Amino acid sequence: MTTEIKKSRLILFCLTAAIIFGLIVFRLVNIQLVYGDNYSEIALRQTTGRREIPAPRGIIYDRFGRELTMNVQKYSLFAHAENTGEISRIHSYLDSLLEKPRGHSRRTYSIEPKKFTWLERRFPDSLAKQVEKDTVRGLYIDPCIGRSYPFLGVGKQLLGWTNIDGKGVAGMEYSFDTLLAGCPGYSEYLRDGQRNTYRLRHLSQIPPVPGKSITLTVDWNLQEIVEDELKKGIEKYRALEGNALFIDCHTGEILAAADFVANGKNDAVKLRAISNRFEPGSVFKVFTAAALLDENLVDLTERIDCENGVWKVNGRLLRDDKKHGLLNLREIIERSSNIGISKLALRLGADRLYETARRFGFGQRYYVGLPGEESGVINHPDRAPGQKIAANKKKKSKPAEYNTAALSIGHSLSVTALQLANAVAAIANGGTLYRPKIIKAITTPDGKVLEQAEVEKIATVMKASSAEILRSYMKGVVDTGTAKPVKSDIVSIAGKTGTAEVVDTISGGYKKNKFVASFLGFFPYESPRVAGVVILHEPEPIHYGGYTAGPIFKQIAERYSNTRIEQFKPDNKIIASPASPEFKTIPDFVGHEVTQALSMARHRGLELVMNAARGTITWQFPPAGRKITGKGKVAVGVSMNETDSLVMADLTGLNLRTAVSFLDFLGYEYEIEGEGMVVRHEPRPGEILSDSTRCLLICGKGLMDADSAKKSN
Amino acid sequence: MDKILLYAAVFLVIIGLVTVYSASSLIARESFNSQFHFLYKQAIFLLLGILIALVVIRLDLKRLAPYSVPIVFICIALLAAVFAFPSRNDAHRWINIGPFTIQPSELFKLAIIYYLAFSLSQKKRNIEDWRQLVFPYAPLIGSGILLIIFEPGLGSALTITATVIVILFLAGMRLYHLALFTVPLGAVATFLIFIYGYKKARVLDYLSAIQDPLAGSFQVKQAILAMGAGGLYGAGLGNGRQKMFFLPYPYTDFIYASIGEEFGFIGLCIILLLFAIIVWRGIHIALYQPDRFGFLLAMGVTASIMIAVVINVGVVTTLLPTTGIPLPLISYGGTALLVSIASIAILLNLSRRKGVIAR
């Protein structure tokens, strides 16, 4: 049977087989060894994905370490469906999830195949968890860090806010966004060909770098008072808008900066106290007077003829509000005579008046670090706009004299509230102009100070002796002059009123019967601490600064003094402030027995919230060294035996952050409704908790709400 | 009995079982809620295959000869019957019996090999007379292959055609007869593809994929990525990612790529080597057969295994256009596994014949 043909054919078969196998091996070498790395990379790209881990945003604190911003976990809902089948399943799922009638979801959300669509950017936590559990294909949850403001609207224009993507778009949040934002981390995950993802532990993870925290110079207590009074004042005096700014006379630290716009339009992106330019009017006279005193150009007893209310200079009329006869400088300031101060200003001359104004900081930006800061405009009286034309027309006249007179009474220049407050602070502290600051320090999330603002002296702008005289004049304004309603029994206030006409930006002239009422001052008179300005735009029908802005200033000064004037001493130390009845430094409770801790707490006027009545404390929040105000509740964790049953502590009155930290420590899940402080919670205090208990925290604006909620329960 | 052949086959079957589980577990969990779904079914077929092998090894193969023609007819009937069953992936290749399915084209392949070996070894048959070849082979084999083409199951049709050609070639068919038979076939195929446009896109994909493997169809591209990701040593058992809904049919037609990702170049070469051993032992067994029937049967079975391996691996490595056939002894698939085990069993049976083992 073994014929010749067959054998040669068999050999041919074997050869063919060998060649084919060889070819295959050659191909494998090519695919796996030569181009293996290439293909491997492409395969890796399609099988892995990267997910951003958001970095916790830095916290903004006030000068006493109060948290002005908080980070909270929020969820967004998005769809990325493959086909119409998935889309209709998503719609029917959402209808049942949201308990809406059929078709509601289809009408509300437009989902297209293979397209990424945000459905809800702020999705309730409980629903988000449900969606995550149910895993509907094409419907996903994206956790992100949201920003919450425990003081709600207070200081909104100052702090600003973040957009839906967590990026700062206004205020401090905007100007310090890169600092606050930190750097997001990444985790890699596996995905399959059907867009399912698998998180694997060994895949590389780059942890996020948390943002830096910022400590402001602002005292949120004062900020709250200022905003409250400004709001009340605007309603009372029917003004369009009000700005106020208060500064520490001895350091230039901004203590409060607030705006209020009537008719609910109070959502300006810029802080108007530093971005609004206006004509200051009579409040500017104090700086003219400062120059006169410093240059010794006036005898304090010298009486100036105030021309019975009308005086012609360069052929133009200058008027006083009331007819005055002979007045000395003190009286000119107290009664705010335009003619009196103008006559004296002509002695100074254009150059010296202009230089003085520049020296006090007008016409220049301080760059405090908030968006939209304005420089204002101040022109040398000889070089004022329109001056040249006038000079050419009437060659012999000296129109500069009129311009000098106008500048001396606060006309033909524009300033900001910040410039006024900082300039008057220099008068209050005896002549030193400081650079205004809003940032006290920049710290790491765990409290390490990275950068600390130094007190920065710009210049000595007047002699201490002249400043003292001028202060006494300003006291006189309140005691006997144009600002009598500002006189207070509680705190001695000194200042100067202003009632300027509103500049019509369209015609360039003045609006009729529209005024800017202002009060520029400091308190307490004996040893000045706080300087500030309150400005009301277009109050009606009363428009005098002393009767509108002045009383607001007074209210603010009184309320602030009532709380803590003696505490308010110049200091450069970050967050550190001498202990006071209002500010309690939290001691370190960790390691102490509960009974011991209770007596420590009682000694300091603090209240403890704890999970057991016996045992050793192993945890506390806020941490030792922080300062708290109000009722001073501190949450402490007590180590327990396994057999002890856990009783729900009374969390009401705790700020949300503390309550959440406490529940995290105990290992319970929770849901949060609202923002601010815990007003009510489930389970109620005293109820026994099981391992699976879910807590519900209902939060409100503050302790007032908590108290009322307690009563209503 | 040929121990080397046995060990090579057992080794391949074990590799098959493990890799079928690795490649299918995720899809099984997704579709059947049990990651062992395909593993269990494959194991059941393997047990059945072992039983069949035990029987086949002891059988006197020559005594089955009278049944060979009826068996071929039954297979043709089954091939016709598939069109009565619902299609899967747009193809009528299976007959459903309860939870299991059988694939008649695989049975037909084995039946034809046996029939040809028996028929061609008969004394009255003159292999050099073309009329004797046209009848009865042309209608008998042709009708079966046509039915398979209409399923459509081009891969199976190609395997069977190639196997038949190898058997006829080795049986001593005159070369110009072979040319008369194959050249028109090739011409018709070329006409169908390039003029009529049948599967033209797939062939064009293939032509570009020979140059750049990633330029081919999605499935082939994923297979190349899988093997490329495996590199020299592979990602390790169970660590493949391409099977996660990227690589299509990772546990059947594309299991070779799936193995390539987890066991690398070395793993793939070992598999090729084991198949080469099977081919070598098959030829060895054929050479020492005492009769023409044994020689043709051994060579037919060996050729069918080799051709299936070459087509499967050729497709996965883009050396051939995409067509779906299982990798013998390894791929998931009941009938294919049974037939490939039976093929090995036939070789083992033949190795037990007098005079084979001694040499």
PDB file of all heavy atoms in Angstrom, chain A residues 6 9 17 24 27 32 36 44 46 48 137 190 192-194, chain B residues 169-170 173 209 222 227-228 241-242 244-246 265 317-318:
ATOM      1  N   LYS A   6       2.057   8.209  -2.952  1.00  0.00           N
ATOM      2  CA  LYS A   6       1.510   8.511  -1.642  1.00  0.00           C
ATOM      3  C   LYS A   6       2.582   9.110  -0.718  1.00  0.00           C
ATOM      4  O   LYS A   6       2.317  10.074   0.011  1.00  0.00           O
ATOM      5  CB  LYS A   6       0.921   7.242  -1.028  1.00  0.00           C
ATOM      6  CG  LYS A   6      -0.355   7.517  -0.287  1.00  0.00           C
ATOM      7  CD  LYS A   6      -1.137   6.269   0.033  1.00  0.00           C
ATOM      8  CE  LYS A   6      -0.323   5.330   0.887  1.00  0.00           C
ATOM      9  NZ  LYS A   6      -1.074   4.084   1.159  1.00  0.00           N
ATOM     10  N   ARG A   9       3.469  12.651  -1.642  1.00  0.00           N
ATOM     11  CA  ARG A   9       2.341  13.535  -1.289  1.00  0.00           C
ATOM     12  C   ARG A   9       2.266  13.764   0.222  1.00  0.00           C
ATOM     13  O   ARG A   9       1.927  14.857   0.677  1.00  0.00           O
ATOM     14  CB  ARG A   9       1.020  12.941  -1.791  1.00  0.00           C
ATOM     15  CG  ARG A   9       0.932  13.034  -3.306  1.00  0.00           C
ATOM     16  CD  ARG A   9      -0.434  12.712  -3.822  1.00  0.00           C
ATOM     17  NE  ARG A   9      -0.457  12.916  -5.266  1.00  0.00           N
ATOM     18  CZ  ARG A   9      -1.557  12.924  -5.982  1.00  0.00           C
ATOM     19  NH1 ARG A   9      -2.731  12.713  -5.407  1.00  0.00           N
ATOM     20  NH2 ARG A   9      -1.510  13.106  -7.282  1.00  0.00           N
ATOM     21  N   ALA A  17       2.138  21.745   6.201  1.00  0.00           N
ATOM     22  CA  ALA A  17       1.746  21.936   7.603  1.00  0.00           C
ATOM     23  C   ALA A  17       2.819  22.700   8.351  1.00  0.00           C
ATOM     24  O   ALA A  17       2.529  23.654   9.087  1.00  0.00           O
ATOM     25  CB  ALA A  17       1.487  20.581   8.263  1.00  0.00           C
ATOM     26  N   ILE A  24       2.315  31.024  11.270  1.00  0.00           N
ATOM     27  CA  ILE A  24       1.515  31.463  12.426  1.00  0.00           C
ATOM     28  C   ILE A  24       2.426  31.959  13.550  1.00  0.00           C
ATOM     29  O   ILE A  24       2.191  33.022  14.142  1.00  0.00           O
ATOM     30  CB  ILE A  24       0.599  30.317  12.916  1.00  0.00           C
ATOM     31  CG1 ILE A  24      -0.507  30.066  11.887  1.00  0.00           C
ATOM     32  CG2 ILE A  24       0.002  30.649  14.271  1.00  0.00           C
ATOM     33  CD1 ILE A  24      -1.349  28.853  12.175  1.00  0.00           C
ATOM     34  N   ARG A  27       3.707  35.277  12.766  1.00  0.00           N
ATOM     35  CA  ARG A  27       2.669  36.294  12.996  1.00  0.00           C
ATOM     36  C   ARG A  27       2.536  36.608  14.483  1.00  0.00           C
ATOM     37  O   ARG A  27       2.387  37.768  14.878  1.00  0.00           O
ATOM     38  CB  ARG A  27       1.339  35.764  12.440  1.00  0.00           C
ATOM     39  CG  ARG A  27       0.222  36.781  12.438  1.00  0.00           C
ATOM     40  CD  ARG A  27       0.448  37.865  11.419  1.00  0.00           C
ATOM     41  NE  ARG A  27      -0.772  38.614  11.155  1.00  0.00           N
ATOM     42  CZ  ARG A  27      -0.833  39.664  10.354  1.00  0.00           C
ATOM     43  NH1 ARG A  27       0.250  40.077   9.728  1.00  0.00           N
ATOM     44  NH2 ARG A  27      -1.977  40.281  10.153  1.00  0.00           N
ATOM     45  N   GLN A  32       2.714  39.850  19.215  1.00  0.00           N
ATOM     46  CA  GLN A  32       2.889  39.862  20.672  1.00  0.00           C
ATOM     47  C   GLN A  32       4.224  40.432  21.119  1.00  0.00           C
ATOM     48  O   GLN A  32       4.312  41.000  22.200  1.00  0.00           O
ATOM     49  CB  GLN A  32       2.734  38.446  21.228  1.00  0.00           C
ATOM     50  CG  GLN A  32       1.353  37.889  20.940  1.00  0.00           C
ATOM     51  CD  GLN A  32       1.035  36.715  21.826  1.00  0.00           C
ATOM     52  OE1 GLN A  32       1.422  35.592  21.513  1.00  0.00           O
ATOM     53  NE2 GLN A  32       0.364  36.966  22.921  1.00  0.00           N
ATOM     54  N   GLY A  36       3.788  44.322  20.492  1.00  0.00           N
ATOM     55  CA  GLY A  36       3.037  44.028  21.723  1.00  0.00           C
ATOM     56  C   GLY A  36       2.792  45.252  22.586  1.00  0.00           C
ATOM     57  O   GLY A  36       1.682  45.478  23.054  1.00  0.00           O
ATOM     58  N   LEU A  44      -5.016  48.927  27.061  1.00  0.00           N
ATOM     59  CA  LEU A  44      -5.082  49.517  28.399  1.00  0.00           C
ATOM     60  C   LEU A  44      -5.978  50.747  28.386  1.00  0.00           C
ATOM     61  O   LEU A  44      -6.770  50.982  29.278  1.00  0.00           O
ATOM     62  CB  LEU A  44      -3.666  49.906  28.840  1.00  0.00           C
ATOM     63  CG  LEU A  44      -3.529  50.215  30.330  1.00  0.00           C
ATOM     64  CD1 LEU A  44      -3.681  48.928  31.122  1.00  0.00           C
ATOM     65  CD2 LEU A  44      -2.195  50.860  30.618  1.00  0.00           C
ATOM     66  N   GLN A  46      -8.484  51.381  26.456  1.00  0.00           N
ATOM     67  CA  GLN A  46      -9.917  51.113  26.342  1.00  0.00           C
ATOM     68  C   GLN A  46     -10.472  50.358  27.551  1.00  0.00           C
ATOM     69  O   GLN A  46     -11.664  50.338  27.761  1.00  0.00           O
ATOM     70  CB  GLN A  46     -10.242  50.357  25.052  1.00  0.00           C
ATOM     71  CG  GLN A  46      -9.785  48.916  25.032  1.00  0.00           C
ATOM     72  CD  GLN A  46     -10.227  48.202  23.762  1.00  0.00           C
ATOM     73  OE1 GLN A  46     -10.801  48.794  22.885  1.00  0.00           O
ATOM     74  NE2 GLN A  46      -9.955  46.917  23.689  1.00  0.00           N
ATOM     75  N   THR A  48      -9.293  50.908  30.781  1.00  0.00           N
ATOM     76  CA  THR A  48      -9.212  51.636  32.037  1.00  0.00           C
ATOM     77  C   THR A  48      -9.714  53.054  31.831  1.00  0.00           C
ATOM     78  O   THR A  48      -9.691  53.579  30.733  1.00  0.00           O
ATOM     79  CB  THR A  48      -7.771  51.718  32.572  1.00  0.00           C
ATOM     80  OG1 THR A  48      -6.955  52.235  31.553  1.00  0.00           O
ATOM     81  CG2 THR A  48      -7.264  50.389  33.038  1.00  0.00           C
ATOM     82  N   ARG A 137     -28.775  50.872  33.978  1.00  0.00           N
ATOM     83  CA  ARG A 137     -27.748  51.111  32.951  1.00  0.00           C
ATOM     84  C   ARG A 137     -27.982  52.451  32.254  1.00  0.00           C
ATOM     85  O   ARG A 137     -29.083  52.747  31.823  1.00  0.00           O
ATOM     86  CB  ARG A 137     -27.780  49.964  31.949  1.00  0.00           C
ATOM     87  CG  ARG A 137     -26.720  50.109  30.896  1.00  0.00           C
ATOM     88  CD  ARG A 137     -26.233  48.797  30.415  1.00  0.00           C
ATOM     89  NE  ARG A 137     -25.353  48.184  31.397  1.00  0.00           N
ATOM     90  CZ  ARG A 137     -24.898  46.949  31.279  1.00  0.00           C
ATOM     91  NH1 ARG A 137     -25.277  46.210  30.276  1.00  0.00           N
ATOM     92  NH2 ARG A 137     -24.093  46.454  32.183  1.00  0.00           N
ATOM     93  N   LEU A 190     -11.288  50.067  36.169  1.00  0.00           N
ATOM     94  CA  LEU A 190     -11.422  49.190  35.013  1.00  0.00           C
ATOM     95  C   LEU A 190     -12.793  49.404  34.409  1.00  0.00           C
ATOM     96  O   LEU A 190     -13.753  49.644  35.108  1.00  0.00           O
ATOM     97  CB  LEU A 190     -11.376  47.733  35.478  1.00  0.00           C
ATOM     98  CG  LEU A 190     -10.025  47.068  35.544  1.00  0.00           C
ATOM     99  CD1 LEU A 190     -10.233  45.616  35.886  1.00  0.00           C
ATOM    100  CD2 LEU A 190      -9.330  47.180  34.205  1.00  0.00           C
ATOM    101  N   ASP A 192     -15.510  47.830  31.199  1.00  0.00           N
ATOM    102  CA  ASP A 192     -15.662  46.790  30.195  1.00  0.00           C
ATOM    103  C   ASP A 192     -16.315  47.382  28.954  1.00  0.00           C
ATOM    104  O   ASP A 192     -16.604  48.565  28.881  1.00  0.00           O
ATOM    105  CB  ASP A 192     -16.454  45.599  30.760  1.00  0.00           C
ATOM    106  CG  ASP A 192     -17.888  45.962  31.047  1.00  0.00           C
ATOM    107  OD1 ASP A 192     -18.373  46.985  30.518  1.00  0.00           O
ATOM    108  OD2 ASP A 192     -18.535  45.224  31.802  1.00  0.00           O
ATOM    109  N   GLY A 193     -16.526  46.524  27.979  1.00  0.00           N
ATOM    110  CA  GLY A 193     -17.048  46.992  26.700  1.00  0.00           C
ATOM    111  C   GLY A 193     -18.481  47.476  26.777  1.00  0.00           C
ATOM    112  O   GLY A 193     -19.009  48.012  25.814  1.00  0.00           O
ATOM    113  N   GLN A 194     -19.112  47.273  27.932  1.00  0.00           N
ATOM    114  CA  GLN A 194     -20.494  47.747  28.059  1.00  0.00           C
ATOM    115  C   GLN A 194     -20.600  48.885  29.061  1.00  0.00           C
ATOM    116  O   GLN A 194     -21.628  49.096  29.683  1.00  0.00           O
ATOM    117  CB  GLN A 194     -21.405  46.586  28.473  1.00  0.00           C
ATOM    118  CG  GLN A 194     -21.389  45.480  27.449  1.00  0.00           C
ATOM    119  CD  GLN A 194     -22.339  44.367  27.803  1.00  0.00           C
ATOM    120  OE1 GLN A 194     -22.741  44.222  28.944  1.00  0.00           O
ATOM    121  NE2 GLN A 194     -22.685  43.572  26.814  1.00  0.00           N
TER     122      GLN A 194
ATOM    123  N   PHE B 169      -6.288  13.940  -2.148  1.00  0.00           N
ATOM    124  CA  PHE B 169      -4.905  14.151  -2.571  1.00  0.00           C
ATOM    125  C   PHE B 169      -4.017  13.005  -2.088  1.00  0.00           C
ATOM    126  O   PHE B 169      -3.244  12.424  -2.843  1.00  0.00           O
ATOM    127  CB  PHE B 169      -4.439  15.482  -2.012  1.00  0.00           C
ATOM    128  CG  PHE B 169      -2.987  15.797  -2.227  1.00  0.00           C
ATOM    129  CD1 PHE B 169      -2.523  16.157  -3.494  1.00  0.00           C
ATOM    130  CD2 PHE B 169      -2.078  15.729  -1.176  1.00  0.00           C
ATOM    131  CE1 PHE B 169      -1.191  16.454  -3.680  1.00  0.00           C
ATOM    132  CE2 PHE B 169      -0.737  16.017  -1.374  1.00  0.00           C
ATOM    133  CZ  PHE B 169      -0.289  16.383  -2.634  1.00  0.00           C
ATOM    134  N   LEU B 170      -4.194  12.695  -0.781  1.00  0.00           N
ATOM    135  CA  LEU B 170      -3.362  11.631  -0.216  1.00  0.00           C
ATOM    136  C   LEU B 170      -3.773  10.261  -0.741  1.00  0.00           C
ATOM    137  O   LEU B 170      -2.965   9.342  -0.807  1.00  0.00           O
ATOM    138  CB  LEU B 170      -3.434  11.653   1.314  1.00  0.00           C
ATOM    139  CG  LEU B 170      -2.766  12.867   1.967  1.00  0.00           C
ATOM    140  CD1 LEU B 170      -3.003  12.856   3.464  1.00  0.00           C
ATOM    141  CD2 LEU B 170      -1.274  12.890   1.662  1.00  0.00           C
ATOM    142  N   MET B 173      -5.478  10.839  -5.922  1.00  0.00           N
ATOM    143  CA  MET B 173      -6.216  11.465  -7.006  1.00  0.00           C
ATOM    144  C   MET B 173      -5.241  12.160  -7.957  1.00  0.00           C
ATOM    145  O   MET B 173      -4.251  12.743  -7.523  1.00  0.00           O
ATOM    146  CB  MET B 173      -7.167  12.500  -6.385  1.00  0.00           C
ATOM    147  CG  MET B 173      -8.105  13.147  -7.343  1.00  0.00           C
ATOM    148  SD  MET B 173      -9.091  14.348  -6.418  1.00  0.00           S
ATOM    149  CE  MET B 173     -10.184  14.905  -7.676  1.00  0.00           C
ATOM    150  N   ALA B 209      -6.115  44.112   6.788  1.00  0.00           N
ATOM    151  CA  ALA B 209      -5.640  43.666   8.096  1.00  0.00           C
ATOM    152  C   ALA B 209      -4.345  42.865   7.998  1.00  0.00           C
ATOM    153  O   ALA B 209      -3.606  42.751   8.966  1.00  0.00           O
ATOM    154  CB  ALA B 209      -6.715  42.833   8.787  1.00  0.00           C
ATOM    155  N   GLN B 222      -9.949  43.635  18.261  1.00  0.00           N
ATOM    156  CA  GLN B 222      -9.942  43.334  19.693  1.00  0.00           C
ATOM    157  C   GLN B 222      -9.087  42.102  19.986  1.00  0.00           C
ATOM    158  O   GLN B 222      -8.432  42.021  21.023  1.00  0.00           O
ATOM    159  CB  GLN B 222     -11.373  43.135  20.202  1.00  0.00           C
ATOM    160  CG  GLN B 222     -12.222  44.392  20.170  1.00  0.00           C
ATOM    161  CD  GLN B 222     -11.661  45.494  21.045  1.00  0.00           C
ATOM    162  OE1 GLN B 222     -10.936  45.248  21.995  1.00  0.00           O
ATOM    163  NE2 GLN B 222     -11.969  46.730  20.706  1.00  0.00           N
ATOM    164  N   MET B 227      -4.035  39.820  22.291  1.00  0.00           N
ATOM    165  CA  MET B 227      -2.771  39.091  22.206  1.00  0.00           C
ATOM    166  C   MET B 227      -1.588  40.019  22.437  1.00  0.00           C
ATOM    167  O   MET B 227      -0.628  39.661  23.106  1.00  0.00           O
ATOM    168  CB  MET B 227      -2.663  38.401  20.845  1.00  0.00           C
ATOM    169  CG  MET B 227      -3.615  37.226  20.737  1.00  0.00           C
ATOM    170  SD  MET B 227      -3.422  36.322  19.203  1.00  0.00           S
ATOM    171  CE  MET B 227      -4.088  37.476  18.062  1.00  0.00           C
ATOM    172  N   GLY B 228      -1.710  41.241  21.891  1.00  0.00           N
ATOM    173  CA  GLY B 228      -0.637  42.220  22.076  1.00  0.00           C
ATOM    174  C   GLY B 228      -0.466  42.566  23.545  1.00  0.00           C
ATOM    175  O   GLY B 228       0.651  42.667  24.050  1.00  0.00           O
ATOM    176  N   ARG B 241      -8.376  41.419  30.326  1.00  0.00           N
ATOM    177  CA  ARG B 241      -9.422  42.446  30.389  1.00  0.00           C
ATOM    178  C   ARG B 241     -10.227  42.509  29.100  1.00  0.00           C
ATOM    179  O   ARG B 241     -11.317  43.044  29.087  1.00  0.00           O
ATOM    180  CB  ARG B 241      -8.793  43.813  30.626  1.00  0.00           C
ATOM    181  CG  ARG B 241      -8.166  43.928  31.994  1.00  0.00           C
ATOM    182  CD  ARG B 241      -7.640  45.316  32.162  1.00  0.00           C
ATOM    183  NE  ARG B 241      -6.851  45.419  33.367  1.00  0.00           N
ATOM    184  CZ  ARG B 241      -6.084  46.456  33.639  1.00  0.00           C
ATOM    185  NH1 ARG B 241      -6.028  47.448  32.786  1.00  0.00           N
ATOM    186  NH2 ARG B 241      -5.393  46.520  34.743  1.00  0.00           N
ATOM    187  N   GLN B 242      -9.635  42.002  28.038  1.00  0.00           N
ATOM    188  CA  GLN B 242     -10.307  42.100  26.750  1.00  0.00           C
ATOM    189  C   GLN B 242     -11.583  41.254  26.719  1.00  0.00           C
ATOM    190  O   GLN B 242     -12.473  41.501  25.927  1.00  0.00           O
ATOM    191  CB  GLN B 242      -9.360  41.662  25.641  1.00  0.00           C
ATOM    192  CG  GLN B 242      -8.272  42.661  25.361  1.00  0.00           C
ATOM    193  CD  GLN B 242      -8.824  43.900  24.712  1.00  0.00           C
ATOM    194  OE1 GLN B 242      -9.044  44.914  25.360  1.00  0.00           O
ATOM    195  NE2 GLN B 242      -9.126  43.824  23.424  1.00  0.00           N
ATOM    196  N   MET B 244     -13.755  41.325  28.827  1.00  0.00           N
ATOM    197  CA  MET B 244     -14.841  42.076  29.449  1.00  0.00           C
ATOM    198  C   MET B 244     -15.627  42.841  28.400  1.00  0.00           C
ATOM    199  O   MET B 244     -15.622  44.066  28.360  1.00  0.00           O
ATOM    200  CB  MET B 244     -14.279  43.016  30.507  1.00  0.00           C
ATOM    201  CG  MET B 244     -13.514  42.296  31.578  1.00  0.00           C
ATOM    202  SD  MET B 244     -13.245  43.296  33.054  1.00  0.00           S
ATOM    203  CE  MET B 244     -12.515  44.734  32.355  1.00  0.00           C
ATOM    204  N   PHE B 245     -16.265  42.135  27.528  1.00  0.00           N
ATOM    205  CA  PHE B 245     -17.162  42.684  26.501  1.00  0.00           C
ATOM    206  C   PHE B 245     -16.442  43.484  25.422  1.00  0.00           C
ATOM    207  O   PHE B 245     -17.059  44.234  24.698  1.00  0.00           O
ATOM    208  CB  PHE B 245     -18.265  43.544  27.127  1.00  0.00           C
ATOM    209  CG  PHE B 245     -19.073  42.807  28.152  1.00  0.00           C
ATOM    210  CD1 PHE B 245     -18.866  43.022  29.495  1.00  0.00           C
ATOM    211  CD2 PHE B 245     -20.013  41.867  27.763  1.00  0.00           C
ATOM    212  CE1 PHE B 245     -19.589  42.336  30.435  1.00  0.00           C
ATOM    213  CE2 PHE B 245     -20.738  41.185  28.706  1.00  0.00           C
ATOM    214  CZ  PHE B 245     -20.527  41.414  30.050  1.00  0.00           C
ATOM    215  N   PHE B 246     -15.113  43.352  25.358  1.00  0.00           N
ATOM    216  CA  PHE B 246     -14.416  43.976  24.235  1.00  0.00           C
ATOM    217  C   PHE B 246     -14.219  42.926  23.142  1.00  0.00           C
ATOM    218  O   PHE B 246     -14.622  43.100  22.016  1.00  0.00           O
ATOM    219  CB  PHE B 246     -13.053  44.520  24.665  1.00  0.00           C
ATOM    220  CG  PHE B 246     -13.158  45.718  25.554  1.00  0.00           C
ATOM    221  CD1 PHE B 246     -12.931  45.616  26.918  1.00  0.00           C
ATOM    222  CD2 PHE B 246     -13.514  46.949  25.036  1.00  0.00           C
ATOM    223  CE1 PHE B 246     -13.043  46.717  27.735  1.00  0.00           C
ATOM    224  CE2 PHE B 246     -13.615  48.063  25.850  1.00  0.00           C
ATOM    225  CZ  PHE B 246     -13.382  47.942  27.197  1.00  0.00           C
ATOM    226  N   PHE B 265       2.754  34.999  24.583  1.00  0.00           N
ATOM    227  CA  PHE B 265       3.345  34.327  23.435  1.00  0.00           C
ATOM    228  C   PHE B 265       3.722  32.891  23.790  1.00  0.00           C
ATOM    229  O   PHE B 265       3.496  31.960  23.026  1.00  0.00           O
ATOM    230  CB  PHE B 265       4.583  35.115  23.013  1.00  0.00           C
ATOM    231  CG  PHE B 265       5.346  34.519  21.878  1.00  0.00           C
ATOM    232  CD1 PHE B 265       4.831  34.552  20.591  1.00  0.00           C
ATOM    233  CD2 PHE B 265       6.580  33.922  22.089  1.00  0.00           C
ATOM    234  CE1 PHE B 265       5.539  33.999  19.532  1.00  0.00           C
ATOM    235  CE2 PHE B 265       7.296  33.367  21.036  1.00  0.00           C
ATOM    236  CZ  PHE B 265       6.767  33.410  19.762  1.00  0.00           C
ATOM    237  N   THR B 317      -5.381  35.687  14.148  1.00  0.00           N
ATOM    238  CA  THR B 317      -4.165  36.462  13.918  1.00  0.00           C
ATOM    239  C   THR B 317      -4.233  37.246  12.613  1.00  0.00           C
ATOM    240  O   THR B 317      -3.219  37.727  12.127  1.00  0.00           O
ATOM    241  CB  THR B 317      -2.937  35.541  13.880  1.00  0.00           C
ATOM    242  OG1 THR B 317      -3.175  34.519  12.895  1.00  0.00           O
ATOM    243  CG2 THR B 317      -2.677  34.881  15.212  1.00  0.00           C
ATOM    244  N   THR B 318      -5.437  37.350  12.032  1.00  0.00           N
ATOM    245  CA  THR B 318      -5.700  38.086  10.785  1.00  0.00           C
ATOM    246  C   THR B 318      -4.924  37.542   9.587  1.00  0.00           C
ATOM    247  O   THR B 318      -4.697  38.246   8.614  1.00  0.00           O
ATOM    248  CB  THR B 318      -5.407  39.603  10.898  1.00  0.00           C
ATOM    249  OG1 THR B 318      -4.015  39.787  11.082  1.00  0.00           O
ATOM    250  CG2 THR B 318      -6.182  40.237  12.007  1.00  0.00           C
TER     251      THR B 318
END
